[in-house]
Amino acid sequence: MIDETAIIAENVKIGSYVVIEKDVLIGNHVEIGNHVTIKEGTIVADNTVISDYSLLGKSPASNNKMARKPADDLEPLYIGEDVKIGTHCCLYRGSTLHPGVLVADIASIREHVIIGENSIVGKNVMVENNTLIGKNVTIQTGSYVTAHMVIEDDVFIGPCMSSSNDKYMASRTEKLQGPTIKKEAKIGNNASLLPGVVIGEKAIVGAGAVVTKNVPTGAIVVGNPAKEIKG
Amino acid sequence: MIDETAIIAENVKIGSYVVIEKDVLIGNHVEIGNHVTIKEGTIVADNTVISDYSLLGKSPASNNKMARKPADDLEPLYIGEDVKIGTHCCLYRGSTLHPGVLVADIASIREHVIIGENSIVGKNVMVENNTLIGKNVTIQTGSYVTAHMVIEDDVFIGPCMSSSNDKYMASRTEKLQGPTIKKEAKIGNNASLLPGVVIGEKAIVGAGAVVTKNVPTGAIVVGNPAKEIKG
Amino acid sequence: MIDETAIIAENVKIGSYVVIEKDVLIGNHVEIGNHVTIKEGTIVADNTVISDYSLLGKSPASNNKMARKPADDLEPLYIGEDVKIGTHCCLYRGSTLHPGVLVADIASIREHVIIGENSIVGKNVMVENNTLIGKNVTIQTGSYVTAHMVIEDDVFIGPCMSSSNDKYMASRTEKLQGPTIKKEAKIGNNASLLPGVVIGEKAIVGAGAVVTKNVPTGAIVVGNPAKEIKG
């Protein structure tokens, strides 16, 4: 089911049972797996690989309970050159993946997300809306990147990191602010980052640490609540 | 592949490569995405949206190792009016979603689950069998709702909450009992709730807290193990 | 889309929109759901059930940032008799599932993984490459099994366990070593296991514990960091 207004380079490989909607643009040597759906207007640059069952360019949904309605005037999703998208992924409109990004299987990327060159979004990682992820970042399997979070270049996030952005939990009026992780910081597996905390450059957060306040540049913190130790 | 015994309102939108099995009922103005599968007997009420790659009405499976076999005489899945189901979801037979519920992408809902009006089941949330979820509940991304758990009205659960129900871990004979979260309680991100604990009304559980015993009404608990603090 | 070189027993049930690639072998009484993709050379033994939207036999991907490139000379995936695979799963080439294994919905199993008879890989469990899982193991929903991890026979792992294998986080040169969990040990929900720790036989790790060093045979540990208590 390929819409006749989609523009697809001649050398693109397309699997079985693929849906490509109107005004989609697909560059040279792109590979599209089986059962892929690419929604209206999505742009996929050269040499990108999109694996089976992935959905590109979804629009957000909402219900009555949701205090903060998602944007409804989103630009199309843009996938840069040499990007790799795993299987069973779901990427929303209004986001940009720079060249060389790898998104592993069963990952989700919401709207208004920018991901820098060569960064890795691991398996089953959920990236919420309005998030900035720098270059050469690694986010390992199962980590959760909350909305309004900033992850600078060369950050390493181990598996199952958890973050949050709502200090008052469901306040409906307070400004949401996710954590900021500065350049080259490292976060251990299953660490919990509270709303608005800043993890300094080259800081290290231990596995299982619960970070309730800012972590200074180069510091090492562990425990619940996380406290500084000597390296 | 739409079975001829399925009853589908004339104004339903159906995507590509959809499978609808026998005796399915689909109400007015329902929207069904691409690659959706709806199993035998499932009922989908008016104005519901079902996104791509979702499976409605699955029957449970088991193997030799499993001490507690799942039920095999389940009623069909019932999806109320104005419900929204995300992409890559899997909902089982024997469960009921009341009107206005939102189930986000990559979520799973097992059998014998009831979800009240306007509640939100976030992305990648796994809801196990025999669970009661009230009205206006929010369960954020990546949280885990164990079997035999009760979540009352207006509860807020942050991202990556973990719960369990088997005090003796794989006892095979003890009664399973998940946590109970009373009205308007709030649970911080990546909190761990142990089997059978009761979180009191309007209580607050801090991010990363490990809750090993009951939390009184209105109390605030943090740490590992979680202890009460003054708010 | 079934390749003509695939060898499929006559009594196999195949759903709609299925893709079976070349040289696939499928035994007697196998059931294949809708929208399943089975990649080149995969072997599926008798009486196995593969649910909707699952992908069998994927090859690993990599990008420029990734220090450790995945293997590219993998044997085909082998699925033993009486195995059950849930929906929306992704299993890689180079792995072996022994008879009676149950893989629940939305689970992922990477390359060079061996899973012993009758073990259960729960919903949304991610199993990384080069992992050994014994017989009669239970890994509950949402747990994360890092690469180079060993799980012996009769181990029980509760929901949302997290593990890691890189002591120096992104060192690029150090040897990766995941945890080892010895026979009949039990791990509570949302526990964090650090790189290389050994959990002794019949040891118990409490819910939410952060295990930073080895746990002796039969010991019970809780807290952050985990410390031994009397049972």
Side-chain angles (χ1 to χ4, degrees), chain A residues 64-144:
Chain A
N64 292 333
K65 171 72 168 63
M66 207 170 271
R68 302 163 203 261
K69 302 297 179 198
D72 58 2
D73 58 344
L74 296 163
E75 296 288 309
L77 173 67
Y78 180 86
I79 309 277
E81 293 173 23
D82 299 303
V83 166
K84 295 199 169 114
I85 310 283
T87 72
H88 302 95
C89 291
C90 182
L91 281 66
Y92 280 67
R93 281 181 77 85
S95 287
T96 298
L97 276 61
H98 282 285
V101 165
L102 186 151
V103 177
D105 307 327
I106 321 178
S108 163
I109 297 174
R110 288 285 305 262
E111 68 275 16
H112 287 147
V113 172
I114 298 174
I115 305 183
E117 284 181 31
N118 295 324
S119 286
I120 298 171
V121 174
K123 267 194 304 298
N124 208 30
V125 167
M126 305 284 127
V127 178
E128 299 287 9
N129 52 293
N130 296 80
T131 300
L132 281 173
I133 299 176
K135 290 185 287 193
N136 298 310
V137 168
T138 297
I139 305 174
Q140 290 197 327
T141 303
S143 280
Y144 174 62

Side-chain angles (χ1 to χ4, degrees), chain C residues 39-58:
Chain C
K39 298 274 188 185
E40 183 178 342
T42 298
I43 298 167
V44 180
D46 296 352
N47 304 314
T48 282
V49 177
I50 300 161
S51 299
D52 305 8
Y53 309 103
S54 280
L55 171 62
L56 304 186
K58 190 184 177 187

Side-chain angles (χ1 to χ4, degrees), chain B residues 1 17 35-37 53-55 58 62-65 92 108 124 128 144 162 164 168-170 190 192 224, chain C residues 16-17 34-35 52-53 84 87-88 100 102 105 118 123-124 136 138 141 156 159 186-187 189-190 207-208:
Chain B
M1 299 291 167
Y17 311 120
H35 302 96
V36 166
T37 294
Y53 310 103
S54 280
L55 172 62
K58 190 185 176 186
S62 66
N63 78 344
N64 292 332
K65 170 70 167 63
Y92 280 67
S108 164
N124 209 30
E128 299 286 10
Y144 175 62
S162 166
S164 58
Y168 301 96
M169 293 198 264
N190 214 12
S192 303
N224 179 358
Chain C
S16 300
Y17 311 120
N34 302 317
H35 301 97
D52 305 8
Y53 309 103
K84 295 200 169 110
T87 70
H88 302 95
L102 185 149
D105 307 327
N118 295 326
K123 267 195 305 298
N124 209 29
N136 298 311
T138 297
T141 304
F156 174 89
K186 297 177 179 184
I187 313 293
N189 64 301
N190 214 12

Side-chain angles (χ1 to χ4, degrees), chain C residues 142-159:
Chain C
S143 279
Y144 175 61
V145 178
T146 190
H148 304 278
M149 181 158 172
V150 176
I151 301 173
E152 294 188 354
D153 296 349
D154 302 302
V155 162
F156 174 89
I157 298 176

Side-chain angles (χ1 to χ4, degrees), chain A residues 4 8 11 16 20 23 48-49 62 81 99-100 105 126 137 143 162 181 198 207 214-215 227:
Chain A
E4 61 187 11
I8 302 175
N11 47 27
S16 300
I20 299 180
D23 299 329
T48 282
V49 178
S62 66
E81 293 173 23
D105 307 327
M126 305 284 127
V137 168
S143 280
S162 166
I181 307 181
V198 177
N214 294 349
V215 177
K227 289 181 181 161

